[in-house]
């Protein structure tokens, strides 16, 4: 652990207890960088109510992921693709109603 982290100027850890454990291992100058979202800076916007469920794919948009099988599902849902990749343009053209 020291070999990996010693070159860092300010190694980050997620909790105070994690920091204390790493100090016991000999690491120094640790910074606690908590998880979560700063709700003072980021606040969700009011959303319009949905009339049907939403199904989402998140990942690389490529042929080997077989995203087209997901898009061809005959279900009454809003389909959303989150990601980028070599198949994105073709899928956007073939499925213009998918977000």
């Amino acid at each position: 652990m020291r070999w990996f982290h010693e070159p860092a100027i300010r190694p980050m850890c997620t909790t105070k207890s994690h920091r204390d454990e790493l100090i016991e291992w000999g690491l120094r100058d640790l910074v606690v960088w908590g998880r979560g979202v700063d709700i003072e800076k980021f606040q969700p916007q009011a959303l319009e109510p949905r009339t049907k469920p939403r199904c989402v794919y998140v990942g690389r948009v490529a042929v080997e992921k077989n995203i087209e099988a997901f898009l061809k599902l005959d279900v009454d849902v809003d389909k959303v693709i989150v990601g980028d990749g070599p198949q994105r343009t073709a899928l956007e053209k073939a499925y213009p109603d998918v977000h």
Side-chain angles (χ1 to χ4, degrees), residues 13-81:
C13 48
T14 56
T15 64
K16 291 178 183 177
S17 62
H18 188 214
R19 180 195 61 198
D20 295 343
E21 181 181 345
L22 295 175
I23 288 172
E24 288 180 17
W25 292 1
L27 295 172
R28 299 288 175 251
D29 299 319
L30 298 164
V31 176
V32 175
W33 185 37
R35 300 180 187 131
V37 174
D38 183 343
I39 60 172
E40 294 298 319
K41 291 182 180 179
F42 302 99
Q43 296 180 359
Q45 297 175 352
L47 299 176
E48 295 179 20
R50 278 184 256 166
T51 57
K52 52 187 169 180
R54 179 176 292 162
C55 291
V56 181
Y57 167 84
V58 179
R60 185 166 184 267
V61 182
V63 174
E64 62 270 15
K65 302 295 183 174
N66 198 16
I67 299 166
E68 203 154 11
F70 163 68
L71 296 173
K72 288 180 179 179
L73 288 173
D74 187 21
V75 290
D76 188 27
V77 298
D78 288 327
K79 295 174 187 163
V80 179
I81 305 294

